[in-house]
Amino acid sequence: MSLWWARRENLDKDQVALIEDLPLGEHHVVLGPPGSGKTNVLLRRAQYVRSQGLPNVLVLSFTRSLTEFIKTGCFDSQGREIFPQSCVSTLESWIRGLYTQHGESLPAAKATLSEWKRSLATEALGFAPKAKLPRYDALFIDEAQDLLSEEVELLSRWGNTLFLVGDIRQKIYNKSSGIDAIGALVRPPNILSLSFHYRLAPEVCRMADRILVPQGGQSLESTCQYNGPRPGRIGIHGPLSKGDTIAAIVHSLRDQMRAYADLIAQGDLLGVIVARKEDREFVFSQLENDSELAGKSQIVRAREASDDDHDPALGKDTPICILTVQGCKGLEFRAVHWPFCEELHYHYDSEHYYTVVTRAKTSLDLYYVNQLPQKLALAYAPPVQKLW
């Protein structure tokens, strides 16, 4: 059972309305903060549309890790599949499939991921006029704030209707340009929002609100409906050597594996988020060397794995997930550790920091080797101490 997959009676009235009350033949965009149930609404809406005689639907996400996470919501509490896992895919995998179906070769490699994604979508635009396959009844897209305009156009050519969810404050791909394209495609009143969120402890909300100004005047703290373990906590650790950082993380993870054992048994995860892939591999090797944590962690990759890669599914057997900032997109963790958080700080903007911070439900620990990045330092409120 997945903790994020809520039964109908556990949804609020706004979430239910987005799932069941919207017209079937129109495009819709749903915006909302972290933990507001956007992905839950996305999958439930796809399930609802299929029940209305429109079975040809597809749910698309950005990363392989998020796709696997969404697939955990395809089952009810008894383990029965209530939405086909085969109808959930990454956006890149789906576009690659268009090339295969039309007997075309993929574009040549590009210098950057954004250039590659743009080339992939642009060349695929030519397939629609000669397609032998029918258009989808509906396409459902998570993390829509990071779409490229070419991807939005491609989606609109293949889906009779689009249902997109996202949060502009979690836009972590700087070259993405899909927001304007989405705005041209979907107009009010079909741009809707979710205000309340249920995942983030108030302490995490306050730090996130100091990183990015809330849209529409509603802060995360003011719309917080958190009902998890209390109190939430944020810890800042440093300056620490890399060795001391790992030792601190190991000690904390041991405690959290015990403290959150019941929640982990239900599907909760613990996250270690890093800037570099090499740091991801380093952290994994160090955790595997610990007798208590060995076999409990996994590397979670953001993009498609090769045929030789067989990452374990997200779940209770390997609840400690080690991943990059890009790989954490759309995921959630009971506790987050962010070692070496100053690395690549000149590449990060406020949306990156906001996204990482809001992956934590209850506990967030940041570790730095030399100096805490200014954006994080300004957002962190240390515990009140007597000054004299």
Side-chain angles (χ1 to χ4, degrees):
M1 178 181 177
S2 172
L3 287 177
W4 68 268
W5 178 250
R7 297 174 61 86
R8 188 183 189 280
E9 56 266 28
N10 300 128
L11 300 174
D12 64 38
K13 60 181 180 60
D14 293 334
Q15 292 169 334
V16 172
L18 293 173
I19 294 166
E20 300 179 356
D21 295 346
L22 299 179
L24 293 174
E26 300 176 6
H27 301 312
H28 294 94
V29 174
V30 176
L31 303 175
S36 59
K38 297 185 298 298
T39 302
N40 209 328
V41 166
L42 184 83
L43 194 53
R44 285 288 196 185
R45 175 67 177 179
Q47 180 190 28
Y48 175 78
V49 169
R50 291 190 88 245
S51 74
Q52 302 303 300
L54 300 170
N56 189 17
V57 306
L58 190 62
V59 176
L60 299 170
S61 68
F62 266 81
T63 64
R64 190 165 62 98
S65 50
L66 180 54
T67 297
E68 293 304 313
F69 182 64
I70 292 174
K71 286 181 178 179
T72 67
C74 292
F75 301 88
D76 66 12
S77 57
Q78 283 74 47
R80 296 171 300 191
E81 188 177 65
I82 55 179
F83 185 84
Q85 290 189 84
S86 58
C87 293
V88 182
S89 172
T90 64
L91 178 63
E92 181 177 331
S93 179
W94 171 67
I95 299 176
R96 284 171 174 265
L98 293 178
Y99 282 82
T100 301
Q101 291 160 4
H102 292 84
E104 300 289 344
S105 299
L106 294 172
K110 303 296 180 183
T112 67
L113 176 60
S114 293
E115 291 173 354
W116 157 252
K117 284 161 57 70
R118 179 168 283 108
S119 175
L120 192 68
T122 299
E123 294 192 28
L125 287 170
F127 300 157
K130 58 182 180 181
K132 296 180 180 179
L133 299 175
R135 284 163 60 93
Y136 290 90
D137 294 321
L139 292 173
F140 298 82
I141 302 93
D142 204 1
E143 302 292 329
Q145 72 276 356
D146 279 318
L147 286 169
L148 298 169
S149 58
E150 293 85 356
E151 292 171 334
V152 174
E153 184 178 355
L154 182 65
L155 290 164
S156 68
R157 291 193 184 186
W158 281 95
N160 290 333
T161 61
L162 304 183
F163 190 93
L164 308 102
V165 302
D167 177 10
I168 192 63
R169 283 181 287 182
Q170 296 181 63
K171 182 175 179 291
I172 64 173
Y173 292 106
N174 295 329
K175 299 295 184 179
S176 57
S177 54
I179 292 297
D180 291 340
I182 293 171
L185 185 68
V186 187
R187 299 287 189 177
N190 286 7
I191 300 176
L192 307 123
S193 63
L194 289 165
S195 297
F196 296 106
H197 65 91
Y198 303 86
R199 187 177 81 208
L200 308 180
E203 294 80 1
V204 177
C205 292
R206 284 194 283 274
M207 186 168 186
D209 285 334
R210 296 187 190 105
I211 293 173
L212 273 180
V213 175
Q215 292 180 315
Q218 289 189 317
S219 66
L220 285 177
E221 187 175 11
S222 68
T223 56
C224 178
Q225 302 290 313
Y226 175 77
N227 193 30
R230 292 178 183 270
R233 58 169 297 279
I234 296 174
I236 303 292
H237 313 276
L240 293 174
S241 68
K242 282 201 169 187
D244 288 341
T245 295
I246 294 298
I249 291 174
V250 166
H251 179 77
S252 184
L253 285 173
R254 288 174 177 173
D255 290 342
Q256 290 168 346
M257 287 287 290
R258 292 187 286 266
Y260 300 132
D262 290 343
L263 292 173
I264 289 171
Q266 298 177 60
D268 246 350
L269 302 169
L270 308 176
V272 182
I273 300 173
V274 295
R276 307 173 189 268
K277 292 180 181 179
E278 51 264 40
D279 286 335
R280 184 184 64 187
E281 312 297 326
F282 171 70
V283 171
F284 176 74
S285 67
Q286 296 302 302
L287 297 189
E288 286 297 291
N289 287 334
D290 181 77
S291 59
E292 193 169 334
L293 299 180
K296 300 297 183 182
S297 62
Q298 61 172 302
I299 289 174
V300 179
R301 295 175 175 84
R303 298 192 64 206
E304 303 298 310
S306 71
D307 293 337
D308 296 328
D309 286 332
H310 299 285
D311 288 345
L314 300 179
K316 61 184 179 182
D317 293 332
T318 50
I320 302 172
C321 300
I322 307 166
L323 62 175
T324 62
V325 173
Q326 283 71 26
C328 79
K329 183 180 179 61
L331 300 180
E332 58 187 55
F333 304 96
R334 179 57 58 190
V336 165
H337 298 269
W338 190 1
F340 329 130
C341 64
E342 76 267 41
E343 290 195 22
L344 299 182
H345 66 90
Y346 50 86
H347 284 317
Y348 287 175
D349 53 28
S350 296
E351 286 79 8
H352 287 88
Y353 289 112
Y354 180 91
T355 298
V356 176
V357 166
T358 56
R359 298 312 91 201
K361 298 180 181 180
T362 302
S363 176
L364 172 66
D365 285 281
L366 299 97
Y367 309 80
Y368 62 95
V369 175
N370 296 305
Q371 185 174 4
L372 187 67
Q374 185 182 32
K375 284 185 173 67
L376 295 175
L378 293 174
Y380 172 65
V384 175
Q385 298 179 352
K386 290 185 178 180
L387 300 180
W388 55 78

